[in-house]
Structures are given as structure tokens and as C-alpha cells.
Amino acid sequence: MKLEKALEKINLKALAYIITLATALYTLVFTWFHNAKFDGYILGDWLINYQDGGFKRRGLSGSFFFLIQDITGLKLNFIVFGFQFVIIFLFFFNYFKIIKHKKIDLPYISLMLSSVGFVGLFNTVDYAGKKEFIVFLLFSFLVYFLINNRLTRPKEWLITLGLFVTMFLHEVTLFFVPYFVMALYLKEGKFEYRRYFKFFVAVFVPAILIVVFGGNINEGQSLVILKERDVVMTRGIFFWDINERDYIKNAFDDYRWYFLSFAISVFHILFYLKVENFKKILSYLLLGTFLFSLPLFVLAIDWGRWMYIHMMFLIILFPMFQKTTKSIWEYTPIQLNKTHIISVLIILISLIYRVEMSGKGFTCEGLFYRLFFVPLELIHKMI
């Protein structure tokens, strides 16, 4: 009885806020360090530009930041971080607004603490500050408007325009657009094909333009152009010149472990759908969204990253179906029942194992290992 009473006093809503705040601060801090150290993968990805060889995939961001630098005279890495800060801050602020009047339960907390959920950022610090936060932000706006019945036609078109522009920042946007359509369907309860059509047009038109007219990320002068702007990189995306499918084949002893991580995630999601009594059609819709993204797993090496993006979309989406509360502190108490016991076991397992964004698909070097066995590793990454 004492244990039950103690568990019931654990405020899950407060825990959700703490996880959100910790993840936001952690992401912003390491995004800053990536930029301060001129990281060739994080900062470099934002500085792909049209000045080197003309139109290409992801080139809009670099040319935009070059223009801002020419106008302000500020350092490029400061400009990029300012933009990243706004995007990341707004996303987590939107997410807070999404969950603050929703009744959070332990199964939902287990999603947040999934090894490919919020914890995924803690486990793979080298990916903090990636461009997918723009897509997360757009989706968080959509879900927030839907929850509060504030999605007007102009707002919907602005989100669609945001997807169109984001495609010129990173092509990954294409493979996750079904989540936007699914959110609309789940809110309205009916298929509106004409309404959905514009979302697919917004991502497929840029995709076709990029495939037909786009050049290479580095046409030979990118590093020279960046050096002239006081950005010197010795590794990163501008040096990336490998066949990614061959890379996966050669490293398949590591990559095959992603299937175990994927199986754990599938079980986790199915468990959540069952305990929350979702209709079967949601399972079919989620399967469809995954199959739509399947080409990513064939074309690119970041298998863990694609899994992480899927889980983040679900974490943003599922509060739509939680009960609304008047208080921002109201939650579902923890009880010693089968559902909560399984949820706790899932959380413990999630904190034990780690899914690398690319490379090792499953290791026992999760958050527990990083906090209690190699705590200095994160400090080393800051230096």
C-alpha cells in the first residue's frame, strides 16, 4: 500500500515537463558547441550553398546565411546558431503547449524516454542541431492548431508553404509528409483527398526540380567559399564521397542490429496503441507512413536517424487523443497494474540500450551507461 501511494504521488505531467526542458537545453547547448567548433556535419549541412556550382539539394540555407552575413557582417556560425536556436526553441515551446492541457500517463512517458525518442538526442549528441527540427516545428504547429480547433485555411496553406521551402533545405521532408495528412484525417475522421493533394505537391515539385536540375553538394569550391567567409572545415558533408548502399553492405554486421531496435520500437508502439484503445485504422496508417519512408533506408546510411524522426512525429501526434485537462499539472497516477509494470520495463530497457544514428544499430551503451560509466565523455565532446 505504501508503494502504491508513493507511486501515485509521482506527477507524470511534471516529469514530462522536465524531460522536455532537459532535452531542449541539451539540444541547444550541443548545437552551440557544434557551431563553435565549425562541425563539418552539423554546421556544414546548414552552409551548403548555391554559390558553388548553382542549384542543388539543401543549398538554400547556405545562400540565405551568406546574404545575412553580407548585410550584418556577423560570423556565419553565430548566424546559423541564431536560426537554429529559434527553430529548436519554438519547437519545444509548441510541444509544451501541446501537452500542457493533456492528461499524460506512464505509457506516453515511455514513448518520450524511448531510445529513439527524446532520449535519442542524449544518446547521439553528434546529431544535435540537424535540419529535421524545421519539419518537427511545422508538424507541431499543425497538431497544436488541430487540438485547439484553430486550424484555418490560411494557416494550413502557410504550413504547406513551409514544407515547400523546407524541401530546399533538406530532402528528408518528402519522406515524412504523410504524417501531416494523417493528422488531418484523424482529426476530421474522413478522407479529404483534394485537401491532402497540396501537401504532396509541396514536396514532390521541389523533389523533381532537385533530381532533374540539382548539382552535387560540393561542386569543388564550397570549402574555398567558406574559407573566404572565415569558416574552415577539415571533415564533414563537403568531404562525403562514398556509395551509401555499399557502405551499408560493408558494415552490415553492425547494421543488422537495427532490426532488433526496430522490433523493440514496433512492440513499444503497438503496446501504446493497445493500452490507449486506438482504432485499428491508426495501425494501418502508421504502417503506410513507414512504408512511404522506406526508400530512405535504402538510399542513406542514417537508419537510426530515420527511426528517431518517426518516433518524434508520434510523440508530437499522440497527445491529440489524450483527454483534455483544466490544470496544466493534471496527470494519470501510476498504479501497480499490468500496463504500468510493462511501461516501466520498457523505460528501463530503453535507458539501457542505444541506437546510433548511423553505424551500430543496437548497443548496451544507453543513457544509463553514459551517465554512470562514462560521464566524462559528454564533457570531452564540449571541449
Side-chain angles (χ1 to χ4, degrees):
M1 292 294 293
K2 290 183 178 180
L3 178 60
E4 288 185 10
K5 289 183 178 180
L7 291 174
E8 288 177 359
K9 290 181 179 179
I10 298 176
N11 191 317
L12 294 179
K13 182 62 77 69
L15 180 58
Y17 295 153
I18 292 170
I19 295 170
T20 303
L21 179 61
T23 308
L25 291 175
Y26 184 89
T27 303
L28 287 170
V29 167
F30 277 96
T31 298
W32 163 254
F33 282 115
H34 288 321
N35 286 299
K37 295 164 64 176
F38 296 102
D39 184 274
Y41 290 103
I42 304 300
L43 178 62
D45 197 30
W46 289 89
L47 294 179
I48 300 168
N49 58 84
Y50 297 147
Q51 278 76 356
D52 173 29
F55 181 71
K56 64 182 70 170
R57 62 191 177 103
R58 311 186 196 179
L60 181 61
S61 55
S63 293
F64 171 74
F65 292 130
F66 288 175
L67 176 62
I68 299 299
Q69 185 184 43
D70 292 339
I71 294 172
T72 65
L74 297 172
K75 292 184 177 181
L76 269 178
N77 57 333
F78 292 165
I79 296 171
V80 174
F81 178 72
F83 186 83
Q84 292 168 318
F85 180 92
V86 171
I87 296 297
I88 294 169
F89 174 82
L90 285 178
F91 163 66
F92 282 107
F93 181 66
N94 270 1
Y95 177 71
F96 166 76
K97 292 196 296 181
I98 287 171
I99 66 171
K100 71 175 183 177
H101 286 297
K102 291 296 179 176
K103 201 167 186 179
I104 299 300
D105 56 17
L106 192 59
Y108 183 79
I109 292 291
S110 74
L111 291 177
M112 296 180 72
L113 293 176
S114 164
S115 188
V116 288
F118 280 21
V119 169
L121 279 170
F122 287 88
N123 284 341
T124 51
V125 61
D126 293 334
Y127 275 74
K130 287 283 190 176
K131 289 180 177 177
E132 52 260 30
F133 271 99
I134 302 175
V135 193
F136 295 158
L137 175 62
L138 291 172
F139 190 60
S140 70
F141 274 121
L142 178 65
V143 171
Y144 175 75
F145 291 145
L146 288 173
I147 287 175
N148 293 279
N149 298 312
R150 292 171 59 183
L151 182 65
T152 61
R153 290 297 179 183
K155 289 176 181 177
E156 190 172 319
W157 276 102
L158 281 174
I159 292 171
T160 307
L161 177 62
L163 289 171
F164 178 81
V165 173
T166 305
M167 272 296 296
F168 295 102
L169 303 177
H170 203 298
E171 64 280 3
V172 74
T173 309
L174 167 68
F175 299 97
F176 295 95
V177 74
Y179 280 103
F180 291 79
V181 171
M182 180 169 62
L184 289 172
Y185 166 74
L186 292 172
K187 175 64 177 179
E188 303 297 341
K190 59 182 179 179
F191 285 105
E192 300 175 275
Y193 300 104
R194 292 183 180 179
R195 187 180 186 185
Y196 306 153
F197 182 69
K198 64 179 178 292
F199 286 93
F200 289 101
V201 170
V203 294
F204 272 101
V205 169
I208 293 170
L209 292 175
I210 291 168
V211 170
V212 175
F213 301 108
N216 297 317
I217 283 178
N218 186 358
E219 289 286 349
Q221 295 300 311
S222 288
L223 294 172
V224 175
I225 292 171
L226 290 176
K227 187 175 181 180
E228 291 173 350
R229 293 176 176 272
D230 298 324
V231 175
V232 178
M233 294 179 179
T234 57
R235 68 184 188 97
I237 194 165
F238 295 113
F239 299 86
W240 193 254
D241 185 24
I242 68 168
N243 184 305
E244 301 206 22
R245 279 173 284 185
D246 288 341
Y247 180 93
I248 293 171
K249 290 178 183 177
N250 295 331
F252 198 70
D253 284 345
D254 289 328
Y255 270 79
R256 63 182 178 179
W257 289 101
Y258 280 110
F259 294 105
L260 175 58
S261 298
F262 178 74
I264 294 172
S265 296
V266 169
F267 169 80
H268 191 176
I269 294 167
L270 290 177
F271 167 74
Y272 181 80
L273 295 178
K274 182 177 180 180
V275 299
E276 299 293 347
N277 296 315
F278 285 113
K279 295 180 180 179
K280 284 188 177 180
I281 191 171
L282 182 55
S283 301
Y284 298 135
L285 291 173
L286 293 178
L287 176 61
T289 59
F290 174 76
L291 293 176
F292 194 86
S293 72
L294 203 57
L296 273 176
F297 292 85
V298 177
L299 298 172
I301 66 173
D302 296 342
W303 286 15
R305 184 181 177 189
W306 316 142
M307 292 168 59
Y308 154 73
I309 293 175
H310 274 293
M311 184 62 81
M312 288 295 292
F313 270 105
L314 297 181
I315 290 170
I316 300 167
L317 174 69
F318 285 152
M320 282 181 60
F321 313 105
Q322 298 283 1
K323 293 180 180 179
T324 301
T325 64
K326 293 182 179 180
S327 169
I328 65 171
W329 299 106
E330 191 173 342
Y331 64 98
T332 301
I334 300 175
Q335 298 176 341
L336 286 177
N337 56 34
K338 183 179 178 180
T339 296
H340 285 177
I341 291 173
I342 294 175
S343 297
V344 170
L345 290 175
I346 290 174
I347 291 171
L348 292 175
I349 293 171
S350 297
L351 296 178
I352 290 172
Y353 81 97
R354 177 189 183 196
V355 183
E356 292 187 0
M357 295 297 182
S358 61
K360 296 180 180 180
F362 181 97
T363 71
C364 291
E365 299 176 359
L367 190 61
F368 281 158
Y369 173 81
R370 293 164 72 79
L371 286 177
F372 300 116
F373 291 92
V374 287
L376 296 180
E377 182 180 334
L378 293 179
I379 296 176
H380 175 72
K381 287 181 179 290
M382 296 181 186
I383 301 174

